[in-house]
Amino acid sequence: ENTRLLLHLNEINGTAYDSGPFNHSGINTNVTYVAGRYGNAGSFNGSSSGFIIADNPSLNFGSGNSFTVEAWVKTTTTSMQRVVHKYSTAGPFQGYDLAVCNSGENVSMWVGGTAWTSGACHVADGRWHHIAGSYNSGTGLVKVYCDGVEVGSQAQSPVTTYACNMS
């Protein structure tokens, strides 16, 4: 109903096409395609590959809105992996970021400010895992999930509205 971006990443090559209502197609930067859980899947090299989605107000959620960011991941890499992120790298730090951290042992969500919300989630095992992070504007809680199970939560004050590309 309120989908802002839906990338299946099952293309054969090139652009990642948005199946959501806003048509936010992604520019491919060094992503290759391999056999996935269902059809094809984007394969990322961990350092210089990804999709760049042009800035659009529909991807800025604001502090008064609840939202969820989710992805399927399959990795054996133990370095930090930013899975979905849209944030400024200069202060004031604003945005959101869903990542795999701590040697592939945590899923983490950042919604602006200074703190990450993290929970135990062993994903660096070469199998497919569904990870998600959500912010509830009514409760102020950020929650993180691994394979459908809540693994961490804490109160946050998000700062998620600003102009920059998403990757």
Side-chain angles (χ1 to χ4, degrees):
E1 168 183 310
N2 292 315
T3 300
R4 305 287 180 98
L5 175 67
L6 177 59
L7 300 177
H8 294 285
L9 301 183
N10 62 355
E11 290 80 10
I12 295 171
N13 57 39
T15 301
Y17 294 100
D18 181 10
S19 297
F22 294 97
N23 297 315
H24 300 300
S25 295
I27 299 169
N28 183 333
T29 55
N30 302 315
V31 175
T32 58
Y33 289 91
V34 297
R37 184 172 178 115
Y38 303 104
N40 293 325
S43 179
F44 303 85
N45 65 21
S47 62
S48 64
S49 63
F51 291 98
I52 298 174
I53 311 296
D55 182 42
N56 187 287
S58 69
L59 299 171
N60 297 336
F61 299 113
S63 59
N65 296 303
S66 299
F67 65 94
T68 300
V69 178
E70 58 186 303
W72 282 96
V73 297
K74 178 181 178 183
T75 187
T76 56
T77 303
T78 56
S79 61
M80 181 178 185
Q81 299 172 65
R82 288 190 152 93
V83 179
V84 177
H85 62 276
K86 183 180 191 321
Y87 64 95
S88 67
T89 56
F93 298 106
Q94 302 176 38
Y96 49 92
D97 194 340
L98 178 66
V100 174
C101 304
N102 192 27
S103 301
E105 297 294 328
N106 284 356
V107 60
S108 300
M109 178 80 169
W110 178 79
V111 294
T114 59
W116 286 84
T117 301
S118 298
C121 178
H122 178 68
V123 298
D125 60 6
R127 296 187 312 214
W128 285 101
H129 296 277
H130 183 261
I131 62 170
S134 68
Y135 170 70
N136 182 313
S137 63
T139 62
L141 286 178
V142 174
K143 295 182 179 184
V144 290
Y145 299 85
C146 180
D147 297 324
V149 176
E150 181 184 325
V151 294
S153 69
Q154 72 178 357
Q156 292 280 347
S157 297
V159 183
T160 57
T161 304
Y162 62 97
C164 77
N165 290 339
M166 179 179 199
S167 57

